[in-house]
Amino acid sequence: MSYTVPFNRPYLTGHELEYVSQAIQNGDLSGDGPFSQRCSQLLEERFQINKVLLTPSCTAALEISMLLLDLTEGDEVILPSFTFVSSANAIVLAGGKPVFVDVDPHTLNLDPAQIQQAITERTKAIMPVHYAGVGCEMGTIMELADAHQLTVVEDAAQALNASCNNQALGTIGNLGAFSFHQTKNYSCGEGGALCINDESLIERAEIIREKGTNRSQFLKGHVDKYTWVDRGSSYLPSELSAAFLFGQLGAIDVITDLRQQCFQRYLEQLQPLADQGRLQLPTIPEYCQSNYHLFHILLPTQDIRDALLKHLNSRGIHAVFHYVPLHSSPAGIRLSGESVHLPVTDSISSRLLRLPIYPDLELELQHQVVTEISSFLNA
Ligand SMILES: *Cc1c(COP(=O)(O)O)cnc(C)c1O
């Protein structure tokens, strides 16, 4: 089905083709070429990151992060159930056990009080997910991690160019992972990056990313041949992806500004419905600077959410919902049993609706979305 108002439309800055064509002329399209280096350097300088390694996806960056923890059977990593599957899969693939906790009903982010309760002798790490580009309470989370000697890996898939107490998201924990998937704010179709904030993890992360070899040290002249030294996999994106991405990263603030305008318009135009108690609008805490990755509303019940979703889709408006909570998914139950109860997660995931948002969403089309929501909820 084609929609009059798509859910998402990839935004082009106009430089992508030129850079991709330069990459082709350079003649070497494998990983870590000039464009990969330019992307990493841009992110490192702009967000004060010790080391950025581009990856084929955020999923891959999370996998490297979990491999770095050397989990053994029964080791636990705390994360929200209200997240994308990749957060949990990375833990499972590395041999650990995901421990799902509930989220705050306003930000839909990990609730620090719940994290504290979930910490056991087997806990090795915390994986906060910055939902919608709004930061988790990183100050409290880092204190908890310090007190219990836990590693913090930020799933910052949605959070590039957002911050918490003026610290860029993805750069606060020991490690952070960004996504450049087509649906994210800055994209190269499929792509990601690993931020290594903890310097002591850099060398081994490079090895895991290079198929378990010390090729990076070899290229820097630190060793005279390269060989298999650890476990690892192939976690480098091609120069074609990096060249496209470099075009996107050049307009990082332009993209955020356009999304912010879109976000503000929804807030203003939907406020009357919120005042009448017909829906709940997203909240951004004072200490957070969002990147306006997504716009969601919460309806009073699942029935109303489902009916509104159907109504919007029938009018050519592509609204969607997510996430099906991981703790009650078939794989989640197999791993953690049926005894995990996360009432906030269950409640919000059954009532949440995401509206179309992208940098060049036309005023008229956005107004149409608001009008359809109003007429449905006021009927
Ligand atoms: C998009 C997303 C991912 C996965 O990103 P990919 O780049 O597609 O692997 C992981 N976690 C969250 C929270 C996401 O939104």
Side-chain angles (χ1 to χ4, degrees), residues 53 55 57-66 153 176-178 192-194 235:
L53 300 175
T55 54
S57 63
C58 176
T59 303
L62 291 170
E63 286 176 19
I64 299 173
S65 303
M66 288 300 117
V153 178
F178 294 131
L194 177 66
Y235 289 125

Side-chain angles (χ1 to χ4, degrees), residues 234-378:
S234 181
Y235 289 125
L236 284 76
S238 133
E239 267 289 280
L240 288 175
S241 299
F244 191 101
L245 181 64
F246 192 65
Q248 295 266 301
L249 295 180
I252 211 161
D253 287 324
V254 174
I255 291 175
T256 302
D257 288 350
L258 288 167
R259 297 187 80 98
Q260 178 176 17
Q261 288 167 28
C262 223
F263 188 97
Q264 291 298 345
R265 279 197 298 271
Y266 271 135
L267 271 191
E268 283 157 25
Q269 296 176 12
L270 292 170
Q271 189 60 49
L273 288 167
D275 292 341
Q276 294 162 29
R278 296 189 191 275
L279 55 77
Q280 205 179 310
L281 293 169
T283 39
I284 302 175
E286 290 264 313
Y287 59 86
C288 287
Q289 179 62 54
S290 178
N291 66 0
Y292 310 95
H293 172 58
L294 61 83
F295 193 93
H296 69 275
I297 54 175
L298 287 171
L299 286 309
T301 66
Q302 175 160 14
D303 286 347
I304 300 176
R305 191 276 307 269
D306 292 348
L308 175 58
L309 176 63
K310 222 171 128 193
H311 173 77
L312 292 176
N313 289 352
S314 76
R315 297 300 167 103
I317 296 165
H318 196 191
V320 304
F321 70 88
H322 77 174
Y323 297 103
V324 177
L326 297 180
H327 74 280
S328 52
S329 67
I333 291 173
R334 224 164 34 240
L335 290 161
S336 322
E338 301 203 32
S339 61
V340 183
H341 293 292
L342 305 175
V344 179
T345 297
D346 287 337
S347 167
I348 53 158
S349 66
S350 67
R351 298 184 294 117
L352 184 138
L353 193 64
R354 296 176 63 184
L355 305 182
I357 182 166
Y358 44 89
D360 47 11
L361 174 56
E362 295 85 344
L363 287 179
E364 216 177 82
L365 294 185
Q366 191 175 4
H367 193 66
Q368 210 172 308
V369 177
V370 172
T371 309
E372 288 299 343
I373 295 172
S374 304
S375 70
F376 178 86
L377 291 178
N378 282 321

Side-chain angles (χ1 to χ4, degrees), residues 96-166:
K97 182 181 176 211
V99 173
F100 298 113
V101 302
D102 222 342
V103 289
D104 174 274
H106 304 288
T107 59
L108 316 191
N109 275 332
L110 265 189
D111 177 349
Q114 303 277 336
I115 299 176
Q116 181 145 34
Q117 280 180 22
I119 294 175
T120 71
E121 279 168 13
R122 298 305 306 268
T123 308
K124 288 290 181 292
I126 306 171
M127 190 190 287
V129 178
H130 306 299
Y131 182 72
V134 173
C136 295
E137 289 178 52
M138 288 308 289
T140 316
I141 291 174
M142 294 309 288
E143 278 170 23
L144 267 175
D146 271 351
H148 297 270
Q149 294 184 309
L150 307 176
T151 304
V152 174
V153 178
E154 299 176 69
D155 180 341
Q158 307 179 4
L160 182 60
N161 204 28
S163 62
C164 176
N165 289 319
N166 297 317

